[in-house]
Amino acid sequence: MKKFTRLTAIVLAFMLAFGSFCSGNARTEVRADEKPMLISTRLVPGAKAHGFTLDILSAEEEEGGMLQVWEHDKTGAKVYMLVNDDPERAFGILFKTEPSDDTGRLHILEHSVCAASEKYPGLDVFFDLSSQGFITDINATTWHSSTNYYVASLDEQELMNGADYYLDCSFHGAVRNDPNYFYREAWRYVLEDVNDPLTVTGVVYNEMKGSLSDLDSFTLNYVFRHLYPDSNYAYISGGVPDTILDITYDQLIKFYNECYHPSNCSVLVYGDINYDKWLEKFDSYFGEFEREEFHAPEKYVPKGNYGIVEDKFPVAANTEDLSGRLLYIWDLPDDLSYVEYNALSLLANYENEITSPIMQALNASGIGSAYVLSPYTLGDQRQFLVYAYDADTSRAEEFKKIVDEQFAAIVKSELDKETLDCMFEEEALAEELALNTNGIGVSTVSAITRAIEAQDIEGMILEEDLMGKLGAIFDENKVLPLFEKAVVKNKNNLLYAVTPEPGLAEKNEAALAEKLAAKKAAMSEKELKKLVEQTKAYNEWNSAEGTNDETLAKLVTVDPGKLDVTAPVYDTKRTEKNGVTIVTANIDSDVSFYRYSFDISNLNKKQVRYLNEYIGCLGLSTTTRTQEQVSNDARKYVNNFSARIASQEVNGKEVPSLVVSFYAFNDNLEKALDHVFDMLYNTDITDPYNAAYIGQMAMYSLGTYSDPGTVNSLLQYAAGAPTSYSMALSWYLNGITEYNFLKEAISSDEGFEQYLVGMSNSMKNVVKRQNCIIRVVGSEESRKASVDSMLARLPKKNKTYKAGTVAKIGEKSKNIKTMALEMNTQAGFLMSLYSGDNSDVKELAAEMVALSFMSNAVYIPQFRYVLGAYGAYCGATSDGLVYAQLYRSPEVIGPFADILTTPDMLEAYAPMIEDYMDGFKLQLISQLITPTGKWNMASTELYYLAAGDGHSPEYDIAAAIRDLTVEDIIAAVPAVREAYENMGTAMIATADEIESAKDMFDKIYKLK
Ligand SMILES: [Zn+2]
């Protein structure tokens, strides 16, 4: 149910954080192979070590390992350690910080503090470390009430080096002695020549311009202006672009000295670590400080009901879609416990089901395209909200009335026991798989961080048996009274209605231009000359070289030549049975992973499009089961279900395929397959209720076309389409033709009728015997049962298999190498992509190192630091993709030409690569060999087994990278040149920008 799942993903993304952004090129999925085990120690609470006293020690052996909470005797700094045998270790440091204006000072400080320190000087050691260290993840984020920094590594010493870096930055940041870091990360005037117009740039400034030009981000930031007026919660911690220009360097440093103190900090360590060494390290930094008092922020005293608050969202004058957002939000009482908050979350989940009366009433109203109920958190304040996407904001009163009535009805309703049981079953399966995802260490560090920020460390981290207590709340029927008290009868609420205002974007831009022109006009000739000199001085400072060699030598101590890059061996098997290809991997587990793919090359293009729409509706009621039954079975029997159309490599050939995958408990396999096949064959598209819902989801999908996440995928598909079938297929299915198709489908009754009929017929001719590949990762028993059961479900007789026109997708896009998409955007996006045929592992390895080097030598300094793009990088992935991207950039047209000269610059820089090569090797190897969990790793292996390559290539590439010489890299320059010459490029920019460079593009698209 990709569309419905997406709503949940948006709810999760509701947490507002502003990051330092680090590209993490080619990051593979990260996970420990086995469940971490408890490391036994003889620690008891009250134990002393290196100036710390042990405060709390988790009593029992727990899944996550052993939690130790230490307090620094002298300063009161807290240390949270979660010790287990996970080889991917993580460190985090957090300061409690709160905005008291919209200058974004917390956020600017976050960016500039982690750039360099006294012990580790350099222009931007953070980026050097992220691209040249043996590090799996590194980043920093600003939440509403805290700023935090984290790093993760497969090597404990390397992690400690990273921690030492962050500690030194925190207490001896280089920004204290050099305002250039501020000019770069916050904002600065730019004047290259006295006759130029005065402009302004800066990384945070541009980042926030881009971020707040997203309607959801705007709504969820600005609502707190009105819910918590006259308090610190009313400010936007990331900064408001216009107000960012008010902050000075001296103000920032004053704030830095006030907040970055051990008494105001917590540190976190996770994984297979020696706690004693870490405490010693922390004491060496904290010991130089005297204890200071830092008070918790003042609790907000709610002031009652604020009614309906209207706001305008700036969009360009020619914007046609003026649907907005409706956000009904309650400030939850401060005494709500962590368990109670989670109970409200489960209730929200229950009511989000499309059959719930509130969703039925909202859907029937036609006010918006999609709705969601969710709890929410801002710092230590909690909220409950109902959100309407693509809403007719003139109907705000009506929306409020529906929600009020439905909430009153929920309080009097009876919750369905079976659904609740299924929700708890769903949790059990999710828990079993919890160690099969990316970066558990980083997630844990982040969870503790959020707990500290919400001042609920006892609840979030130390709560034992959360599920048991939640179960009790539901069993004892306490959740509805809780909901009534905390939400329904809670007067502290408002309804926020945000409506796009055409022309306001231009008006704001004109106002800024006027302000800058007035500023320039008021400057004397002498002042102007000084500004030109300053601009020049900044650019010189920014392009200085080589201060980092010594610094990096201190931080990067792993020798790449000594790394063990032996590929793990999986117990895999490939067979053919009755025409079906079967590949399996043996792992000992209660849960198995299943992936079935069907070659759909016999379909025509139109059929593929309808099939793509149809599988987006899986999860709706079927002709054999009601909506409740389908939803409950989904929760009970499968996890991470997905059905998608993708190009898969089979025996060395790209094959368009329907790919269905899910996890299930072995005991539930038959039930899981019954559920999956019933959805595939019998989803009831023409049922009137489903049809109405499908129409609404089509509207919702149309609305997502300007979301940054969608925009980034679009860019990738569009840029890749001329060079790869796989990307061309994605571009066909999810690009502008999909957008136009959906628009047409909902524009008339006949069109919609045809849309439903097309979908209903789409599964015919897809599931067959001769086009099926079965992949199973699981225990021996589950694999055998699954294969037998699957074979029994496939049609017995097959007609001859004729190729359709689906294979022709991509032929047209071959002629469109550069394309632009006009959008109302405050900061542009640009992506160039080349999908190479990189069967030569050594050449690919050399390209990866060469491009990492270029990213650091040119892209980051030139595009990020001079231009002020939030993100700018290039690289190659283990799949053989070469890419270059600018992201939230004030300008994208100019850099496009510069990007194409990358191979020339690479050639010029090549002799220098040797000095930096070890670092780039380490970083790339680290990304390639990080464990990602046993199901993930084995299923990737199976993909390559069916593809005909035998095994997944990551370790081969890692070994090749380890053994590269600088000559190998120089020898790869022609391959890089070819890639850049053949790149496809896609750009998203405003109509004016595109008009000014229209000759550059083979095709210009407009979203209208
Ligand atoms: Zn940021």
Side-chain angles (χ1 to χ4, degrees), residues 17-21 107-108 110-111 139-142 185 203-204 207-208 238 864 870 888:
F18 301 101
S20 258
F21 191 80
H107 184 190
I108 294 164
E110 170 223 312
H111 276 241
N139 217 332
T141 47
T142 304
E185 300 299 330
V203 174
V204 168
E207 179 190 342
M208 293 314 295
R864 183 172 157 102
Y870 176 45
R888 284 190 201 160

mmCIF file of all heavy atoms in Angstrom, residues 17-21 107-108 110-111 139-142 185 203-204 207-208 238 864 870 888, ligand 1:
data_model
loop_
_atom_site.group_PDB
_atom_site.id
_atom_site.type_symbol
_atom_site.label_atom_id
_atom_site.label_comp_id
_atom_site.label_asym_id
_atom_site.label_seq_id
_atom_site.Cartn_x
_atom_site.Cartn_y
_atom_site.Cartn_z
ATOM 1 N N ALA A 17 13.694 18.923 12.375
ATOM 2 C CA ALA A 17 15.112 19.041 12.683
ATOM 3 C C ALA A 17 15.807 19.711 11.515
ATOM 4 O O ALA A 17 15.401 19.576 10.375
ATOM 5 C CB ALA A 17 15.718 17.678 12.922
ATOM 6 N N PHE A 18 16.821 20.464 11.821
ATOM 7 C CA PHE A 18 17.591 21.110 10.774
ATOM 8 C C PHE A 18 19.000 20.574 10.851
ATOM 9 O O PHE A 18 19.635 20.673 11.873
ATOM 10 C CB PHE A 18 17.549 22.632 10.955
ATOM 11 C CG PHE A 18 16.161 23.148 10.911
ATOM 12 C CD1 PHE A 18 15.492 23.469 12.070
ATOM 13 C CD2 PHE A 18 15.497 23.247 9.704
ATOM 14 C CE1 PHE A 18 14.178 23.913 12.031
ATOM 15 C CE2 PHE A 18 14.188 23.686 9.656
ATOM 16 C CZ PHE A 18 13.519 24.024 10.834
ATOM 17 N N GLY A 19 19.459 20.000 9.757
ATOM 18 C CA GLY A 19 20.719 19.271 9.831
ATOM 19 C C GLY A 19 21.886 20.003 9.213
ATOM 20 O O GLY A 19 21.722 20.989 8.523
ATOM 21 N N SER A 20 23.059 19.477 9.480
ATOM 22 C CA SER A 20 24.265 20.012 8.862
ATOM 23 C C SER A 20 24.414 19.528 7.443
ATOM 24 O O SER A 20 25.136 20.083 6.663
ATOM 25 C CB SER A 20 25.496 19.547 9.636
ATOM 26 O OG SER A 20 25.952 20.567 10.444
ATOM 27 N N PHE A 21 23.750 18.449 7.142
ATOM 28 C CA PHE A 21 23.776 17.822 5.842
ATOM 29 C C PHE A 21 25.145 17.306 5.464
ATOM 30 O O PHE A 21 26.093 18.037 5.290
ATOM 31 C CB PHE A 21 23.319 18.771 4.731
ATOM 32 C CG PHE A 21 23.107 18.025 3.461
ATOM 33 C CD1 PHE A 21 21.952 17.326 3.262
ATOM 34 C CD2 PHE A 21 24.105 17.982 2.520
ATOM 35 C CE1 PHE A 21 21.773 16.598 2.114
ATOM 36 C CE2 PHE A 21 23.934 17.258 1.364
ATOM 37 C CZ PHE A 21 22.755 16.576 1.163
ATOM 38 N N HIS A 107 21.008 26.849 14.978
ATOM 39 C CA HIS A 107 21.266 26.110 13.755
ATOM 40 C C HIS A 107 22.602 26.568 13.139
ATOM 41 O O HIS A 107 23.426 25.754 12.711
ATOM 42 C CB HIS A 107 20.076 26.370 12.828
ATOM 43 C CG HIS A 107 20.101 25.623 11.541
ATOM 44 N ND1 HIS A 107 19.224 25.887 10.524
ATOM 45 C CD2 HIS A 107 20.899 24.630 11.089
ATOM 46 C CE1 HIS A 107 19.473 25.086 9.516
ATOM 47 N NE2 HIS A 107 20.487 24.308 9.821
ATOM 48 N N ILE A 108 22.819 27.887 13.141
ATOM 49 C CA ILE A 108 24.077 28.429 12.604
ATOM 50 C C ILE A 108 25.246 27.950 13.456
ATOM 51 O O ILE A 108 26.306 27.563 12.946
ATOM 52 C CB ILE A 108 24.029 29.968 12.588
ATOM 53 C CG1 ILE A 108 22.959 30.443 11.598
ATOM 54 C CG2 ILE A 108 25.391 30.555 12.242
ATOM 55 C CD1 ILE A 108 22.573 31.899 11.774
ATOM 56 N N GLU A 110 25.333 25.214 15.225
ATOM 57 C CA GLU A 110 25.527 23.790 14.919
ATOM 58 C C GLU A 110 26.425 23.646 13.683
ATOM 59 O O GLU A 110 27.407 22.903 13.701
ATOM 60 C CB GLU A 110 24.168 23.128 14.679
ATOM 61 C CG GLU A 110 24.254 21.712 14.122
ATOM 62 C CD GLU A 110 23.249 21.473 13.017
ATOM 63 O OE1 GLU A 110 22.062 21.811 13.190
ATOM 64 O OE2 GLU A 110 23.661 20.963 11.961
ATOM 65 N N HIS A 111 26.105 24.384 12.623
ATOM 66 C CA HIS A 111 26.897 24.293 11.388
ATOM 67 C C HIS A 111 28.334 24.767 11.614
ATOM 68 O O HIS A 111 29.271 24.152 11.129
ATOM 69 C CB HIS A 111 26.279 25.169 10.296
ATOM 70 C CG HIS A 111 25.169 24.517 9.541
ATOM 71 N ND1 HIS A 111 25.234 24.290 8.192
ATOM 72 C CD2 HIS A 111 23.967 24.053 9.939
ATOM 73 C CE1 HIS A 111 24.105 23.710 7.787
ATOM 74 N NE2 HIS A 111 23.317 23.570 8.831
ATOM 75 N N ASN A 139 26.799 13.203 11.342
ATOM 76 C CA ASN A 139 25.956 14.363 11.046
ATOM 77 C C ASN A 139 25.666 15.128 12.325
ATOM 78 O O ASN A 139 26.062 14.709 13.411
ATOM 79 C CB ASN A 139 24.644 13.954 10.371
ATOM 80 C CG ASN A 139 24.227 14.962 9.308
ATOM 81 O OD1 ASN A 139 24.560 16.147 9.401
ATOM 82 N ND2 ASN A 139 23.502 14.502 8.309
ATOM 83 N N ALA A 140 24.988 16.241 12.186
ATOM 84 C CA ALA A 140 24.585 17.050 13.334
ATOM 85 C C ALA A 140 23.195 17.569 13.055
ATOM 86 O O ALA A 140 22.831 17.786 11.902
ATOM 87 C CB ALA A 140 25.560 18.205 13.519
ATOM 88 N N THR A 141 22.393 17.743 14.112
ATOM 89 C CA THR A 141 21.041 18.252 13.905
ATOM 90 C C THR A 141 20.679 19.256 14.996
ATOM 91 O O THR A 141 21.185 19.182 16.116
ATOM 92 C CB THR A 141 19.965 17.138 13.945
ATOM 93 O OG1 THR A 141 20.225 16.321 15.075
ATOM 94 C CG2 THR A 141 19.953 16.317 12.692
ATOM 95 N N THR A 142 19.804 20.173 14.639
ATOM 96 C CA THR A 142 19.248 21.113 15.602
ATOM 97 C C THR A 142 17.776 20.794 15.759
ATOM 98 O O THR A 142 17.031 20.862 14.787
ATOM 99 C CB THR A 142 19.380 22.557 15.076
ATOM 100 O OG1 THR A 142 20.754 22.793 14.786
ATOM 101 C CG2 THR A 142 18.892 23.562 16.099
ATOM 102 N N GLU A 185 28.697 29.706 6.923
ATOM 103 C CA GLU A 185 27.552 28.883 7.326
ATOM 104 C C GLU A 185 26.295 29.701 7.588
ATOM 105 O O GLU A 185 25.204 29.221 7.374
ATOM 106 C CB GLU A 185 27.912 28.056 8.573
ATOM 107 C CG GLU A 185 29.085 27.101 8.362
ATOM 108 C CD GLU A 185 28.823 26.054 7.273
ATOM 109 O OE1 GLU A 185 27.654 25.660 7.070
ATOM 110 O OE2 GLU A 185 29.802 25.649 6.602
ATOM 111 N N VAL A 203 25.072 29.152 3.874
ATOM 112 C CA VAL A 203 24.510 27.803 3.799
ATOM 113 C C VAL A 203 23.181 27.708 4.557
ATOM 114 O O VAL A 203 22.177 27.240 4.013
ATOM 115 C CB VAL A 203 25.520 26.758 4.320
ATOM 116 C CG1 VAL A 203 24.875 25.382 4.373
ATOM 117 C CG2 VAL A 203 26.756 26.722 3.421
ATOM 118 N N VAL A 204 23.158 28.147 5.811
ATOM 119 C CA VAL A 204 21.916 28.039 6.588
ATOM 120 C C VAL A 204 20.830 28.927 5.974
ATOM 121 O O VAL A 204 19.660 28.542 5.875
ATOM 122 C CB VAL A 204 22.159 28.401 8.070
ATOM 123 C CG1 VAL A 204 20.839 28.577 8.819
ATOM 124 C CG2 VAL A 204 23.004 27.322 8.737
ATOM 125 N N GLU A 207 19.602 27.045 3.072
ATOM 126 C CA GLU A 207 18.925 25.830 3.527
ATOM 127 C C GLU A 207 17.501 26.169 3.982
ATOM 128 O O GLU A 207 16.536 25.496 3.625
ATOM 129 C CB GLU A 207 19.705 25.187 4.686
ATOM 130 C CG GLU A 207 19.029 23.930 5.214
ATOM 131 C CD GLU A 207 19.640 23.409 6.504
ATOM 132 O OE1 GLU A 207 20.777 23.791 6.835
ATOM 133 O OE2 GLU A 207 18.977 22.614 7.185
ATOM 134 N N MET A 208 17.369 27.228 4.777
ATOM 135 C CA MET A 208 16.053 27.572 5.315
ATOM 136 C C MET A 208 15.126 28.142 4.244
ATOM 137 O O MET A 208 13.925 27.944 4.291
ATOM 138 C CB MET A 208 16.184 28.532 6.501
ATOM 139 C CG MET A 208 16.848 27.905 7.709
ATOM 140 S SD MET A 208 16.219 26.244 8.130
ATOM 141 C CE MET A 208 14.523 26.615 8.595
ATOM 142 N N GLY A 238 15.340 26.665 13.189
ATOM 143 C CA GLY A 238 16.223 26.640 12.018
ATOM 144 C C GLY A 238 16.548 28.030 11.502
ATOM 145 O O GLY A 238 17.569 28.241 10.854
ATOM 146 N N ARG A 864 29.164 24.556 -2.484
ATOM 147 C CA ARG A 864 28.561 24.742 -1.166
ATOM 148 C C ARG A 864 29.050 26.028 -0.517
ATOM 149 O O ARG A 864 28.276 26.851 -0.053
ATOM 150 C CB ARG A 864 28.854 23.548 -0.262
ATOM 151 C CG ARG A 864 28.185 23.670 1.114
ATOM 152 C CD ARG A 864 28.319 22.385 1.925
ATOM 153 N NE ARG A 864 28.183 22.636 3.340
ATOM 154 C CZ ARG A 864 27.081 22.384 4.061
ATOM 155 N NH1 ARG A 864 26.032 21.880 3.496
ATOM 156 N NH2 ARG A 864 27.051 22.632 5.359
ATOM 157 N N TYR A 870 22.971 24.117 -0.244
ATOM 158 C CA TYR A 870 22.871 23.327 0.982
ATOM 159 C C TYR A 870 23.629 22.012 0.805
ATOM 160 O O TYR A 870 24.326 21.559 1.691
ATOM 161 C CB TYR A 870 21.395 23.080 1.277
ATOM 162 C CG TYR A 870 21.121 22.197 2.456
ATOM 163 C CD1 TYR A 870 21.799 22.368 3.658
ATOM 164 C CD2 TYR A 870 20.166 21.189 2.379
ATOM 165 C CE1 TYR A 870 21.534 21.557 4.739
ATOM 166 C CE2 TYR A 870 19.893 20.377 3.463
ATOM 167 C CZ TYR A 870 20.578 20.564 4.634
ATOM 168 O OH TYR A 870 20.308 19.759 5.702
ATOM 169 N N ARG A 888 18.997 22.526 -3.090
ATOM 170 C CA ARG A 888 18.618 23.777 -2.445
ATOM 171 C C ARG A 888 19.680 24.842 -2.688
ATOM 172 O O ARG A 888 20.308 25.349 -1.774
ATOM 173 C CB ARG A 888 18.437 23.593 -0.941
ATOM 174 C CG ARG A 888 17.154 22.899 -0.576
ATOM 175 C CD ARG A 888 16.940 22.976 0.910
ATOM 176 N NE ARG A 888 16.032 21.933 1.362
ATOM 177 C CZ ARG A 888 15.951 21.524 2.614
ATOM 178 N NH1 ARG A 888 16.718 22.066 3.533
ATOM 179 N NH2 ARG A 888 15.102 20.594 2.953
HETATM 180 ZN ZN ZN B 1 21.404 22.855 8.540
#
